[in-house]
Amino acid sequence: MTALRDLLLDRIATNGPLSGADFMAECLLHPTHGYYTTRDPLGAAGDFTTAPEISQMFGELLGLALAQAWLDQGAPTPFTLAELGPGRGTLMADVLRATAAVPGFHAGLSLHLIEASPTLRKVQREALSPYDITYVDSPKALPEAPLFLVANEFFDALPVRQFVRDAASWRERQVGARDGVLVFGLSAPVEVPALAHRMEDTRPGDLVEICPAATGILSAITERIAAHGGAALVIDYGDWRSLGDTLQAMSGHKTADPLAAPGEADLTAHVDFEALAEAAAPLTHSRLTPQGMFLERLGITERAQALANRLSGAALSDHVAAHRRLTHPDEMGTLFKVLGLTRAGSPPLPGLTS
Ligand code: SAH
């Protein structure tokens, strides 16, 4: 029995069932019991790992892609370099190391991070100790300046609401309680204007997800890029349109029951990139591109070979495995996707096509 489960059971007893989004938000970010607020979950000793933790090549190539986009837009200064959900700070450290030689890039940038977890903020400050960091609670607080932003495995951590279709309406999938145990249930039928367009491509019984927080976050980013230029690179797992239950719990690198131990397991849902692209209007979006293809276009094979020349033994075989893990279709190469967002008329982003 976790402390957070007791709190949630009390809350349900008083106020009734929770939406999936409220449940996810409590599990991930409850101030004292939330998964992210209480720990550093990344890496071999944690519950999951991410591309920047697998190899330095990921952050290096993203950094060079952002710097090239900045050059292609006329190297505007000052500009904001920002990251959503920077984890251990590894990706940003690799971005900054790889771009140190790009003339004017470091001199012109102002580094902004958006991170909800005090525990991870501490880890990020250490990883990025040579640099000045400004933390903002929301993209609404980013400077009025060109914005070059990256978000890897951030949007999948935002809370989703789930709806199961009836003939002409929806029932929300909620978290309730039975005999002192958390259980999923369905609400009475409700109208959901945000899902009007999903009546065409779904049938009774289908489940669809929406992520209200993603829309709010993207609209603030969109305002900056639309007004001042810049680019956003969003990397995550998911697809162009969500269909089906993608809520997943991970604990100790294994999938777990999302209701079993609130606050003790990571909870994620697949990203609906179509919804992100729509929330980013009037920005233009790239084609949704598989991570493996994106990294190949940015030159990961050449970078991997250059690094391999300096390695031997176990370090070399780890490096070869990491390259494969990031790019191979059976690993992260096709499950993870990249979406680029820019102002209409900006040059296409490196590694992406329009
Ligand atoms: N980008 C990193 C970490 C991914 S894990 C990597 O690739 O390794 C998700 C990150 O988003 C964590 O840093 C987590 O604390 C942060 N996060 C999750 N929900 C958030 C929210 N609502 N606001 C700000 N940060 C959040």
Side-chain angles (χ1 to χ4, degrees):
M1 184 62 87
T2 67
L4 183 57
R5 178 158 52 186
D6 287 344
L7 290 177
L8 293 175
L9 285 168
D10 281 350
R11 185 168 153 189
I12 291 165
T14 317
N15 298 325
L18 301 172
S19 74
D22 287 344
F23 174 74
M24 222 174 140
E26 292 288 8
C27 289
L28 293 179
L29 294 175
H30 184 281
T32 46
H33 304 295
Y35 180 76
Y36 282 116
T37 27
T38 54
R39 76 199 72 204
D40 169 4
L42 292 141
D47 291 309
F48 60 96
T49 193
T50 57
E53 302 298 329
I54 291 170
S55 167
Q56 69 187 71
M57 295 187 290
F58 185 78
E60 291 171 349
L61 292 169
L62 281 174
L64 293 173
L66 284 175
Q68 186 63 52
W70 174 75
L71 290 168
D72 289 344
Q73 292 185 25
T77 57
F79 72 98
T80 308
L81 178 66
E83 184 175 358
L84 303 177
R88 283 183 171 165
T90 310
L91 188 151
M92 189 49 80
D94 292 337
V95 164
L96 289 166
R97 195 184 55 257
T99 54
V102 177
F105 192 73
H106 280 211
L109 72 79
S110 157
L111 181 59
H112 283 67
L113 303 180
I114 292 160
E115 172 58 66
S117 160
T119 309
L120 287 173
R121 282 190 184 198
K122 210 178 281 171
V123 180
Q124 292 155 15
R125 282 192 196 283
E126 272 167 39
L128 297 166
S129 56
Y131 304 99
D132 282 337
I133 305 175
T134 304
Y135 279 101
V136 289
D137 290 332
S138 144
K140 288 194 187 93
L142 288 171
E144 290 293 343
L147 171 61
F148 292 82
L149 174 140
V150 62
N152 183 62
E153 290 211 48
F154 169 77
F155 285 97
D156 67 1
L158 297 181
V160 291
R161 296 177 70 181
Q162 298 184 311
F163 294 91
V164 177
R165 183 167 160 194
D166 267 352
S169 57
W170 302 89
R171 289 172 188 268
E172 182 154 14
R173 192 173 184 230
Q174 297 174 317
V175 178
R178 192 187 307 131
D179 303 329
V181 176
L182 295 171
V183 290
F184 284 117
L186 291 179
S187 74
V190 285
E191 299 281 321
V192 188
L195 289 177
H197 65 300
R198 302 305 304 269
M199 280 292 164
E200 296 155 23
D201 70 332
T202 55
R203 291 195 299 202
D206 283 346
L207 185 151
V208 298
E209 297 171 336
I210 57 175
C211 184
T215 319
I217 288 172
L218 262 182
S219 67
I221 292 166
T222 296
E223 274 175 29
R224 295 296 176 284
I225 297 177
H228 308 286
L233 282 174
V234 177
I235 307 107
D236 228 308
Y237 51 108
D239 228 317
W240 189 246
R241 191 173 265 211
S242 96
L243 184 62
D245 171 19
T246 72
L247 181 65
Q248 179 177 287
M250 288 286 277
S251 186
H253 294 264
K254 292 203 186 72
T255 55
D257 173 355
L259 301 184
E264 299 294 320
D266 184 37
L267 293 181
T268 57
H270 284 199
V271 172
D272 182 337
F273 284 97
E274 180 187 43
L276 295 191
E278 278 172 4
L283 299 186
T284 55
H285 64 85
S286 71
R287 270 189 205 200
L288 188 60
T289 304
Q291 173 173 302
M293 183 185 285
F294 174 69
L295 295 175
E296 290 300 342
R297 287 177 180 161
L298 295 180
I300 195 169
T301 302
E302 291 77 3
R303 181 68 185 131
Q305 276 160 359
L307 286 170
N309 291 338
R310 295 189 232 146
L311 299 171
S312 60
L316 178 60
S317 38
D318 286 353
H319 169 64
V320 171
H323 178 203
R324 182 188 149 89
R325 201 156 163 209
L326 291 180
T327 55
H328 197 278
D330 293 342
E331 308 249 8
M332 299 172 82
T334 51
L335 178 63
F336 282 75
K337 314 274 194 321
V338 186
L339 187 75
L341 300 166
T342 49
R343 194 152 64 163
S346 289
L349 294 170
L352 299 173
T353 53
S354 51

